[in-house]
Amino acid sequence: MLFRGWGASLDGPWPDVATVTDHVGVDHLVVTRHALVRQVLADPVTWRPDNALDAVTPIPVAALRVLAGHRFRLPPTLANNGGPDHPAIRAIVAEALHPTRVAAQRPWLTALVRERVAGIAADLAAGKEVDLYARLAADLPLLALARLVELPDAPVGAVKNFARAALELFWAPLDADRQRTLAAEVGRFHTVLREFAGTGGGLAGRLRAAGHSPDVLVGALFFLLVAGQETTAQFLTLLLHRLTGEPEVRAGLRAGTLAVADVVEEGLRLEPPIVTWRRVAATDATLGGTAVRAGTSVLLWLARAGRDPEVVADPAGFHPGQRGSRRHLAFGAGAHRCVGAQLARMEAAVVVAEATPLLDSVTVLRPPWCPDNLTFRMPDSFVVRRRLPTG
């Protein structure tokens, strides 16, 4: 289950709290119920975020040397920061991603998505196979994020390779050779970020002006480039794929009887790109009647919490607007709730509104495939073709 937290086990029987041993022999306390997951997220004193970015496969010396050669460091900044400077760092990042600034990007993003959808529609009409991940979803969030926070002017492909390498290096079960390869990829881009942190404007400039160290600037940019765009690209792909199997939802969107925002929220509940998140017990505590010793790794099963029958009316059904649909924890909760939630919602709303009509006439040739990963689903290509007429 640990590295396939979005499959059949989502709907199978599970206790509220269970101990599961991972691939290297480490025990994790898996929390499955919505109320308990939210309780942990809302209490960063008892359940600290210190382990949020720890590698689930211990990084061997050879890979650590590669990272050290690039002066790689990930100090506490955002997701892994339970210290007193977290609110100040978060406030600067939140201002860059303020809902007003996000809303101002909508016309630009809509025009870009419409242009891409027109090209995809033409290729489908010509009988061509189309990869909706590559042609539509992969780089949209990165392009939007770059406009908002003035990220480094690096080629899109290089940023995407770095982000996926980081998600694999820190959250996947790996062998030593693969870890060395990934360390080289992540280390190279970390060097680029460190150079930019010293002179860049936008978010980097504001963090620098507030007196934060270069390591903090790099850490914040590192996390944004991973969580601020890659997860949204994953969600767009997963949601589009889900909608290919939901003709009634597509019909409701066409007829205007279903709101786009409700479709997005139900998608976040059922197809979250982040399926688990970690905390560590700071002290001896009790969770759902289970005694927890200080230092225990606590794995919050966000995807299963979204299907809690005590929260949502039909846990497994895709019913936009149903009771409990918006109470999902896809963006977390509490002091570390995703600072880019409004940006992700806006991007998904635009894609649903503009691209869903494409899905009425396609056959899925290759659904998205997700590799083993503790936290991120990381879908790859999603290939469709125009459905051939029957009869």
Side-chain angles (χ1 to χ4, degrees), residues 336-363:
H336 288 82
R337 187 177 183 275
C338 176
V339 73
Q342 289 303 109
L343 177 59
R345 284 185 165 112
M346 185 273 285
E347 292 166 343
V350 170
V351 169
V352 168
E354 301 296 331
T356 299
L358 291 172
L359 307 179
D360 288 333
S361 61
V362 302
T363 295

Side-chain angles (χ1 to χ4, degrees), residues 1-7 9-10 14 20-24 26-31 51-58 166-174 234 272-279 297-304 370-378:
M1 165 264 154
L2 274 182
F3 296 98
R4 284 282 169 180
W6 59 89
S9 57
L10 277 173
W14 272 84
V20 177
T21 304
D22 70 16
H23 64 303
V24 293
V26 175
D27 288 341
H28 303 266
L29 197 68
V30 179
V31 185
N51 63 341
L53 306 186
D54 290 353
V56 298
T57 303
L167 294 184
E168 189 178 350
L169 178 62
F170 292 103
W171 284 279
L174 301 167
Q234 293 174 26
I274 299 177
V275 291
T276 67
W277 203 245
R278 283 175 291 171
R279 289 289 184 265
S297 169
V298 179
L299 188 67
L300 306 173
W301 199 352
L302 306 179
R304 188 173 174 96
C370 301
D372 288 344
N373 195 284
L374 179 69
T375 291
F376 300 93
R377 291 183 64 181
M378 296 179 65

Side-chain angles (χ1 to χ4, degrees), residues 71 179 184 215 364 388:
R71 294 164 53 198
Q179 286 172 301
D215 281 350
V364 176
L388 298 176

